[in-house]
């Protein structure tokens, strides 16, 4: 039996975690031969009774891979020796709250968590930020953890890729597993750029099978605004699909993507003109625990323009939280 890995999850009383935790414990994220120790990191001063209830349910599943489980509200305890940190908890936007207020409220959470990860987590910890605005929150955590490698940090854009693949598969009447090279660039916001320029279905380019009107007027807006559409329909934001995408993201990062392109927001090394260090959605290939953006693609002018808009948006977000970054 393999040695267990230490997985810390924040936002454990939230709706995403209610789906995510059970899939981790069932072996979907790290494989069915990999035991896990779970730490649930709650918010200091809040009523964490719901977390106790979730832990009772996890226990009642009798998952053979769940070796140990603890909860805490202290980040220094919560991230101690963490091999994987899933930062899901974030303050939701409240009535009358401006985007700038939300950025600030969440910036302090990710500053604290970045500092704690820097102090006590495994030096190889893999961090996935789900809580929004996830690209900027991941950047804040990364900047506050100077002793960890920047490559240890990422943000969730796999949900956007999964949404793009689902729309494409429906349009082309194929299965999502028939698709390859679907990419989403940029920020996890309505500005993101879903890109099928390089995509194939059953090994053939999808472009001759699609028309520009559908791509620009239906596909791109459907993917970019899907979160809002789900909120309107369900009366609650995407949860199970976000949890499933988080499982996909970490699974492929840890176990490899088998040369498949997977969209991850990772710190740029200057690829495609994205400023160094900006946490940006790129198509990546994962191998031996390393996610590498695919380089040298001949982007269309449309994609280049959208990438530029995403860079500007992330620069504005960074500016709004600059006092939380050393
Ligand atoms: P919930 O509102 O159900 O749960 C939020 C969790 O965060 C709770 O456990 C709560 O205690 C915790 N929390 C709230 N305020 C906090 C604070 N000040 N400090 C620490 N923890 C705090 O949200 P849920 O639906 O689970 O979504 C969690 C986050 O994921 C949100 O920020 C949401 O916007 C984001 N999402 C990100 C997605 C992505 O693709 N990157 C998609 C889904 C989702 O929208």
């Amino acid at each position: 039996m393999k040695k267990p890995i230490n997985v810390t999850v924040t936002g454990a009383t939230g709706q995403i975690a209610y789906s995510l935790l059970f899939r981790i414990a069932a072996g979907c994220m790290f494989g069915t031969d990999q035991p896990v120790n779970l730490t649930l990191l709650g918010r200091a001063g809040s009523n964490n009774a719901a977390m106790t209830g979730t832990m009772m349910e996890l226990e009642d599943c009798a998952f053979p891979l769940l070796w140990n489980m603890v909860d805490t509200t202290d980040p220094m305890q919560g991230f101690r020796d963490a091999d994987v940190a899933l930062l899901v908890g974030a303050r939701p936007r409240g009535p009358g709250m401006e985007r700038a207020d939300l950025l600030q409220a969440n910036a302090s959470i990710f500053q604290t968590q970045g500092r704690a990860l820097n102090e006590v987590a495994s030096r190889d910890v893999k961090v996935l930020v789900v809580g929004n605005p996830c690209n900027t929150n991941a950047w804040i955590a990364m900047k506050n953890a100077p002793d960890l490698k920047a490559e240890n940090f990422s943000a969730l854009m796999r949900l956007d890729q999964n949404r793009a693949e689902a729309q494409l598969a429906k349009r082309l009447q194929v299965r999502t597993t028939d698709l390859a090279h679907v990419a989403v660039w940029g920020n996890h916001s309505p500005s993101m750029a879903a890109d099928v320029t390089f995509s194939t279905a059953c090994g053939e380019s999808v472009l001759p099978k699609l028309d520009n009107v559908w791509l620009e007027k239906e596909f791109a807006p459907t993917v970019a605004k899907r979160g809002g559409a789900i909120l309107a329909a369900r009366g609650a934001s995407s949860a199970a699909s976000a949890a499933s995408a988080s499982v996909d993201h970490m699974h492929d990062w840890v176990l490899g993507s088998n040369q498949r392109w997977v969209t991850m927001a990772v710190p740029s090394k200057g690829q495609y003109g994205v400023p160094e260090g900006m946490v940006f959605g790129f198509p990546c290939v994962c191998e031996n625990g390393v996610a590498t953006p695919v380089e040298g693609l001949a982007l269309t002018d449309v994609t280049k323009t959208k990438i530029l808009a995403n860079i500007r948006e992330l620069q504005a977000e960074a500016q709004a939280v600059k006092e939380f970054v050393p």
Side-chain angles (χ1 to χ4, degrees), residues 89-220:
R91 185 156 163 200
R93 194 162 173 169
M97 214 174 167
E98 297 298 329
R99 187 169 168 81
D101 300 331
L102 182 71
L103 273 162
Q104 297 257 330
N106 280 313
S108 71
I109 300 170
F110 290 88
Q111 178 186 48
T112 306
Q113 293 181 351
R115 286 175 178 167
L117 284 161
N118 192 53
E119 291 297 314
V120 298
S122 155
R123 299 301 84 183
D124 295 320
V125 63
K126 285 186 162 49
V127 182
L128 167 60
V129 177
V130 178
N132 277 323
C134 63
N135 299 55
T136 294
N137 290 340
W139 177 73
I140 294 167
M142 176 190 88
K143 286 292 201 184
N144 280 284
D147 300 334
L148 296 174
K149 292 186 289 286
E151 298 77 47
N152 295 16
F153 290 82
S154 67
L156 183 68
M157 288 192 61
R158 184 63 174 267
L159 179 55
D160 307 307
Q161 179 189 337
N162 287 351
R163 286 168 171 168
E165 288 188 350
Q167 293 304 314
L168 201 53
K170 197 159 70 172
R171 181 76 177 182
L172 297 173
Q173 295 288 297
V174 297
R175 286 191 275 185
T176 50
T177 45
D178 295 329
L179 297 171
H181 298 173
V182 177
V184 184
W185 304 85
N187 194 10
H188 175 67
S189 82
S191 310
M192 71 183 80
D195 183 7
V196 299
T197 314
F198 312 99
S199 306
T200 57
C202 305
E204 288 178 14
S205 170
V206 299
L207 283 183
K209 303 178 173 98
L210 301 168
D211 62 273
N212 277 338
V213 176
W214 180 80
L215 281 171
E216 285 304 315
K217 299 256 183 295
E218 281 193 50
F219 172 72

Side-chain angles (χ1 to χ4, degrees), residues 3 9 20 63 80 92 100 105 118 166 202 212 227 272:
K3 193 169 154 263
V9 182
L20 177 64
F63 287 120
R80 186 163 299 286
N118 192 53
C202 305
N212 277 338
Y272 303 100

